[in-house]
Amino acid sequence: MSSAILEKARLSDTPLLPVVGRDLTAPLIQGGSTRYVNLDYAASAPAVEKVAAHLSEVLPYYASVHRGAGFASQVSTSLYENARHTVADFVGARTDDAVVFTRNTTDSLNLLAGCVASLLAERGRSAGTSHGHGEVLYLDIEHHANLLPWQALPHRSVVAGHSVASTLHRVETQLRAGNVVLLAVTGASNVTGEVLPIAELASLAHKHGARIVVDAAQLAPHRRLHIARDGIDYVAFSGHKLYAPFGAGVLVGRPDWLDDGRPHLAGGGAVKDVRLESVRWTEGPARHEAGSPNVLGAATLAKATQVLAALDPGEWHGHEQELRARLVAGLEALPGVTVHQLFSDSASHPRCGTIGVVNFSVEGYDAGLAAAYLSAEHGVGVRDGRFCAHPLLRRLGLASGSLRASFGVGSRREDADRLVSGVAALVNDGLGWDYVVDAGRWVPADDSRSYPEWAPNTPGTAGAAPCSTD
């Protein structure tokens, strides 16, 4: 990053874009309240205000999509279909690429896995056998969304090296061995924030007759994609991480596998004709979008891509890197605090680097306890656990979990400083309150803080799901 960009980033402590909830206050366990510091963008990012305003503008027109003759239905259909073009522009898609709206990144990758299963089955039928006609290759550092769907298919995994260069070499070795139809990789690690050189990986895949799918759930909210330029065959990401509410996801990529694959859902909208004992499926995105679509999810996702596309790339990158450098320097200066990373050369590789995700641990403290402390006593929200990346956490020696701070366009310098200050207080002074495990989560004992009446802090609510294992 140039010194001019870095200096520009340092001139202001304002967010790059205003987000909904930027001045939210959080009650403190000791009494009083403070501005809530949201450093959990990698899980679900707050909506940017322009997206929320767009939602308010289109909500009165919300109606059924496709096949509706009414005015509101026509407007909603146009809104939904135009969202495809907006998203395609954002990722630099090819003119014939399909844009399929899904529930989230996990849904998108499961959809593609179903299409790959159909491809392999057809190859097996043509050869008169049920196996041996293609495998999916993936790294051991993947989020479960880009790991579990492939385990149901013939597959191989690659143990990433301790550097980007060695990882590329290991991937190519496996590709050279043959029989790989699809390489599945993350664009940026949801655990450490390190970015992989996806253009190089795409080139390697194509060189050996395979296609590539990129899980861009973490990359898309931080960097522009250009799948046509970089040779990416498929990309998947989620609106809820891209500053858009309503949980829409998207799969963008080459249409042939999608048109030949089994429909992701069996139902209305995905068909040409239905008889009592048979069906003729349609082609195109509708083949995989049966049922009433998430119109508002698609619309807000598309608007979010427009807002991000309008950002100056230098300011966007500079804002994020200045915050990340400030946070890492502050944490590494504290005794007993370790910042974790995968690769020794991620910073020096020209196509890699990092996004706004920092993984760390505090010696002597369970990650869940440290996270509960930061929230209750300092009003700082971070993630703890294994981040749906269990194999990677074991590799990093963090089998019981770690802490993750993540930020984005709504973050400011004070957010990084508040986290460092909170961790410093923990290291130097210890816990200021008693904590207990409730339904698998650390929570403050005798918690009398008031919550909104529509979200009461009833016993067990905070830990209703085993989040510490995710």
Side-chain angles (χ1 to χ4, degrees):
M1 179 170 47
S2 71
S3 58
I5 292 175
L6 183 57
E7 185 59 31
K8 188 173 183 179
R10 286 175 173 156
L11 291 178
S12 175
D13 188 29
T14 58
L16 195 60
L17 288 172
V19 298
V20 176
R22 56 180 166 160
D23 295 317
L24 180 70
T25 58
L28 298 175
I29 194 69
Q30 311 96 315
S33 62
T34 186
R35 181 182 70 84
Y36 176 62
V37 170
N38 182 359
L39 290 175
D40 197 17
Y41 275 55
S44 283
V48 295
E49 289 187 350
K50 288 182 178 179
V51 172
H54 182 63
L55 171 63
S56 296
E57 182 180 8
V58 304
L59 191 57
Y61 299 92
Y62 175 64
S64 63
V65 171
H66 303 138
R67 301 175 300 282
F71 173 68
S73 289
Q74 292 293 305
V75 172
S76 286
T77 298
S78 176
L79 183 70
Y80 186 71
E81 291 301 330
N82 283 327
R84 298 192 203 277
H85 302 295
T86 303
V87 171
D89 288 342
F90 178 68
V91 298
R94 295 162 287 264
T95 56
D96 64 337
D97 277 336
V99 177
V100 182
F101 287 118
T102 65
R103 290 177 294 177
N104 44 47
T105 306
T106 301
D107 199 33
S108 296
L109 293 168
N110 275 271
L111 187 162
L112 184 60
C115 293
V116 175
S118 296
L119 171 73
L120 298 182
E122 179 58 34
R123 288 186 177 184
R125 283 191 294 270
S126 298
T129 181
S130 60
H131 58 83
H133 290 275
E135 294 177 309
V136 178
L137 184 67
Y138 55 83
L139 292 166
D140 69 330
I141 63 174
E142 301 298 326
H143 185 281
H144 294 167
N146 199 32
L147 188 156
L148 295 178
W150 314 119
Q151 289 185 350
L153 303 175
H155 63 273
R156 272 182 273 158
S157 60
V158 180
V159 176
H162 294 293
S163 67
V164 174
S166 63
T167 300
L168 290 172
H169 175 72
R170 291 182 182 190
V171 169
E172 183 167 25
T173 298
Q174 290 296 322
L175 289 168
R176 191 182 297 118
N179 205 39
V180 176
V181 297
L182 182 68
L183 172 64
V185 297
T186 185
S189 171
N190 75 303
V191 176
T192 66
E194 290 167 283
V195 176
L196 287 177
I198 53 179
E200 291 180 50
L201 288 163
S203 179
L204 289 177
H206 295 162
K207 177 182 176 182
H208 297 285
R211 291 187 180 184
I212 185 171
V213 58
V214 176
D215 172 358
Q218 297 298 334
L219 185 62
H222 300 275
R223 294 190 183 184
R224 288 294 300 275
L225 293 155
H226 201 301
I227 64 177
R229 180 196 63 202
D230 292 341
I232 302 166
D233 298 291
Y234 300 97
V235 64
F237 56 95
S238 297
H240 75 100
K241 298 182 189 296
L242 199 79
Y243 311 104
F246 291 100
V250 69
L251 176 68
V252 184
R254 300 190 185 276
D256 54 344
W257 285 9
L258 301 177
D259 285 344
D260 292 336
R262 68 170 184 256
H264 190 47
L265 295 172
V271 301
K272 289 181 177 178
D273 186 64
V274 175
R275 305 296 174 91
L276 288 179
E277 301 297 337
S278 64
V279 59
R280 286 194 301 123
W281 302 104
T282 191
E283 293 84 34
R287 182 182 183 89
H288 300 287
E289 294 180 353
S292 296
N294 184 355
V295 185
L296 297 177
T300 52
L301 170 55
K303 183 62 178 180
T305 66
Q306 280 187 324
V307 173
L308 292 180
L311 289 174
D312 177 85
E315 289 187 21
W316 191 8
H317 185 61
H319 171 262
E320 185 167 283
Q321 292 305 304
E322 194 268 343
L323 283 174
R324 192 181 196 281
R326 187 181 189 92
L327 178 56
V328 169
L331 291 174
E332 289 185 331
L334 299 175
V337 177
T338 303
V339 175
H340 305 283
Q341 66 178 38
L342 282 164
F343 305 122
S344 60
D345 59 346
S346 57
S348 60
H349 194 285
R351 299 297 296 272
C352 296
T354 53
I355 59 169
V357 174
V358 177
N359 190 284
F360 67 102
S361 55
V362 182
E363 185 179 358
Y365 290 96
D366 177 80
L369 176 57
Y373 157 84
L374 288 167
S375 175
E377 300 188 34
H378 297 276
V380 176
V382 297
R383 201 71 162 182
D384 68 276
R386 294 188 284 171
F387 318 111
C388 291
H390 297 182
L392 173 54
L393 268 292
R394 281 192 290 271
R395 277 199 56 186
L396 292 172
L398 303 167
S400 62
S402 61
L403 294 152
R404 182 185 70 190
S406 53
F407 46 86
V409 297
S411 302
R412 55 193 100 171
R413 213 166 46 228
E414 183 194 350
D415 297 347
D417 295 345
R418 286 267 300 278
L419 174 58
V420 172
S421 176
V423 176
L426 178 63
V427 170
N428 295 324
D429 305 323
L431 302 170
W433 199 266
D434 291 330
Y435 294 81
V436 296
V437 175
D438 180 7
R441 296 287 300 171
W442 285 100
V443 296
D446 302 319
D447 188 353
S448 61
R449 291 175 294 171
S450 61
Y451 284 69
E453 62 181 27
W454 41 264
N457 186 26
T458 54
T461 299
C467 300
S468 61
T469 64
D470 290 343

